Amino acid sequence: MTELGQARKLRNYIAGEFKDAADGRTTEIINPATGEVYATAPLSGQADVDAAMEAAAAAFPAWRDTTPAERQRALLKIADAFEERAEELIAAESENTGKPLGLTRSEEIPPMVDQIRFFAGAARMLEGRSAGEYMEGLTSFVRREPIGVCAQVAPWNYPMMMGVWKFAPALAAGNTVVLKPSDTTPASTVLMAEIIGSIVPKGVFNVICGDRDTGRAMVEHPTPAMASITGSVRAGMQVAESAAKDLKRVHLELGGKAPVLVFQDADIAAAAAGISEAGFFNAGQDCTAATRVLVHESVHDDFVTALAKAAADTKTGQPDDEDVLYGPLNNADQLAKVSGFIDRLPAHAKVEAGGHRVGDKGYFYAPTVVSGLKQDDEIIQNEVFGPVITVQSFTDEDQALAYANGVEYALASSVWTKDHGRAMRLSRHLDFGCVWINTHIPLVAEMPHGGFKKSGYGKDLSAYGFDDYTRVKHVMTSLES
């Protein structure tokens, strides 16, 4: 709130200027740590989408024709500016999400800056097959080019970081961007627009705020050549359906239900500690969160005891509390969703820790462990997206693999064992885009992030993620002329 007790006013960023929605509509933005309104944001409509797309399209030819070195310099300046204004970004993100200030400072700003710098380097490392004479008298070579205008939609669980994952490779490749943050978390994205807009030409980077209808209008707009979304499976399917109408490229990073396989030779104490942190971090609001543990029957009880203790020792609370691991769930609907999963647990399930809301202010939920579950239980098959870790037991490696792969999601997984051969076998057969061994959740800019099945397609991060924002053109020339 401002000093006058009025909510702060956020605005769209289009063609280098901050603007209200064309029809003046706004929506209230709530701080999930307090449950109180702290800002208003535009509820953008078709006219706003049109204006943003027009700006991005107008800026594209000149940005496309910049050299890789020029784009690299721009991204490096953006990374430096993010570092210099880190405290502003942290404050905005904490208001957005209720995340702990200290953890946002240590766990989000450094990788965001590193990822921008990685893509700055990638801009100058475009790869293609060497030119050659594959037919007599003719020389062929490959051009790798930017796609055009990219319509991008970021989620509410990591508004800043997912924004970076989208705009950095797109701009590095020579595309222009229209980015929409989630309707519940626009503050940090609007601040990023201010920073980025001071560095790149007007129209290269645009931000419009709004709801699902705004996002749908972006995807259905005839201007973008690509639509990219990080969100729910339902949202991804809707984007794919809308994009299919004019054959836009689609980049989807959707839900997850990561299996965590703990074998009898694992260090149980270390596994429980690592899995607890990877499951509860960010209130479990992470598509890769370690939320579905499969543990060998011989060590099941010991593991559950250790995990329940780790949960009991985990603290949630206000952003300025340095002792908390995570803050609130993002919104009232998400709190109701997580609570509903626990309320509907079958009789054979047992809540070993947590299982309840914390306090009556904000959307906090206790670190929760549930055991005694079966493979076809709702909470095993569906993404909870909250601080809830489930535990199942298995008898052997084949059953563990069957349980692990027996869901519709396929984003991330981990194996906890001292047996190298077992780890290698499972890394081959686990049907997930990432397999960690004796750890869970670390990401690096150089390695791809993305899933299979209903977790979507396309890669974030790495050279693979950069390639997704380019197109390949074959050029052939006669040697006779």
Side-chain angles (χ1 to χ4, degrees):
M1 304 292 280
T2 67
E3 292 181 359
L4 298 177
Q6 297 177 335
R8 186 165 77 252
K9 185 178 182 180
L10 305 175
R11 307 174 79 190
N12 292 332
Y13 187 76
I14 300 173
E17 298 180 6
F18 284 101
K19 301 179 179 181
D20 296 328
D23 60 8
R25 291 190 303 160
T26 63
T27 184
E28 293 183 333
I29 310 302
I30 295 172
N31 183 329
T34 64
E36 297 175 353
V37 174
Y38 74 90
T40 62
L43 187 55
S44 299
Q46 188 64 54
D48 306 297
V49 173
D50 289 344
M53 294 300 173
E54 181 180 352
F60 174 64
W63 186 249
R64 173 198 61 200
D65 292 342
T66 56
T67 65
E70 290 173 305
R71 297 197 295 274
Q72 180 188 54
R73 283 195 294 271
L75 284 164
L76 290 174
K77 287 180 181 179
I78 292 170
D80 291 345
F82 276 28
E83 278 189 326
E84 292 164 5
R85 300 184 66 175
E87 293 305 315
E88 294 174 71
L89 289 166
I90 291 163
E93 189 74 338
S94 184
E95 274 192 316
N96 262 340
T97 62
K99 292 181 182 183
L101 293 165
L103 284 174
T104 305
R105 183 178 296 108
S106 64
E107 302 299 322
E108 295 202 32
I109 295 296
M112 285 166 49
V113 170
D114 180 65
Q115 289 152 8
I116 296 170
R117 288 174 176 153
F118 171 83
F119 284 114
R124 301 182 71 169
M125 292 295 290
L126 284 170
E127 294 184 356
R129 295 182 179 179
S130 61
E133 289 66 51
Y134 302 99
M135 183 177 289
E136 186 176 350
L138 299 164
T139 295
S140 289
F141 65 92
V142 170
R143 291 181 56 89
R144 191 173 284 276
E145 302 175 339
I147 296 169
V149 175
C150 298
Q152 302 181 321
V153 180
W156 48 251
N157 59 332
Y158 289 99
M160 285 196 305
M161 189 175 293
M162 296 300 97
V164 167
W165 287 18
K166 296 198 178 302
F167 80 72
L171 297 187
N175 303 288
T176 54
V177 166
V178 178
L179 174 64
K180 189 190 87 67
S182 167
D183 56 342
T184 66
T185 57
S188 56
T189 308
V190 171
L191 178 56
M192 288 198 299
E194 177 189 328
I195 296 170
I196 296 168
S198 69
I199 295 169
V200 301
K202 67 178 184 179
V204 169
F205 182 77
N206 307 272
V207 169
I208 55 174
C209 304
D211 57 11
R212 289 176 182 171
D213 290 339
T214 311
R216 184 177 298 109
M218 289 171 58
V219 175
E220 293 180 350
H221 199 278
T223 295
M226 179 178 184
S228 171
I229 179 174
T230 299
S232 68
V233 173
R234 181 182 67 175
M237 289 179 172
Q238 291 172 344
V239 166
E241 182 178 4
S242 296
K245 295 175 183 177
D246 57 1
L247 295 178
K248 287 184 179 70
R249 289 195 183 197
V250 179
H251 185 283
L252 303 175
E253 200 272 87
L254 309 176
K257 194 69 181 175
V260 181
L261 283 61
V262 180
F263 285 87
Q264 59 270 38
D265 62 341
D267 183 326
I268 297 302
I275 292 164
S276 172
E277 184 172 0
F280 296 138
F281 188 82
N282 200 37
Q285 297 172 130
D286 190 316
C287 297
T288 62
T291 57
R292 184 168 62 103
V293 179
L294 308 169
V295 59
H296 191 270
E297 59 184 2
S298 66
V299 293
H300 173 271
D301 293 351
D302 289 344
F303 178 84
V304 169
T305 298
L307 187 62
K309 183 180 184 306
D313 292 339
T314 299
K315 184 178 178 182
T316 180
Q318 292 294 324
D320 58 356
D321 187 338
E322 295 182 359
D323 294 329
V324 304
L325 177 68
Y326 67 88
L329 295 167
N330 182 258
N331 53 71
D333 288 346
Q334 190 62 21
L335 175 61
K337 177 186 175 184
V338 173
S339 299
F341 273 104
I342 302 303
D343 293 343
R344 296 189 301 273
L345 283 173
H348 55 260
K350 180 181 179 182
V351 177
E352 303 281 355
H356 56 83
R357 182 179 182 178
V358 176
D360 56 7
K361 180 182 180 181
Y363 310 128
F364 297 91
Y365 202 83
T368 299
V369 176
V370 183
S371 67
L373 292 160
K374 299 179 180 178
Q375 182 67 11
D376 59 354
D377 286 337
E378 175 197 28
I379 200 169
I380 296 297
Q381 291 296 321
N382 296 323
E383 186 176 37
V384 178
F385 222 57
V388 178
I389 300 177
T390 63
V391 184
Q392 300 166 262
S393 66
F394 64 81
T395 58
D396 57 29
E397 190 175 309
D398 289 342
Q399 188 179 55
L401 184 63
Y403 283 174
N405 288 338
V407 295
E408 293 184 328
Y409 301 93
L411 183 59
S413 59
S414 65
V415 179
W416 298 70
T417 182
K418 296 175 183 176
D419 185 329
H420 178 74
R422 173 187 288 144
M424 291 298 97
R425 287 193 302 275
L426 289 168
S427 68
R428 176 185 178 187
H429 293 295
L430 281 165
D431 193 16
F432 295 84
C434 176
V435 181
W436 287 290
I437 298 171
N438 293 323
T439 188
H440 193 107
I441 226 165
L443 296 170
V444 292
E446 293 85 353
M447 291 291 111
H449 175 79
F452 315 135
K453 294 161 62 173
K454 286 191 176 179
S455 289
Y457 46 82
K459 297 297 182 184
D460 289 310
L461 302 177
S462 79
Y464 299 99
F466 183 61
D467 286 350
D468 280 356
Y469 285 93
T470 68
R471 66 184 190 183
V472 172
K473 178 187 290 183
H474 168 220
V475 179
M476 180 180 279
T477 181
S478 172
L479 300 179
E480 302 301 321
S481 57

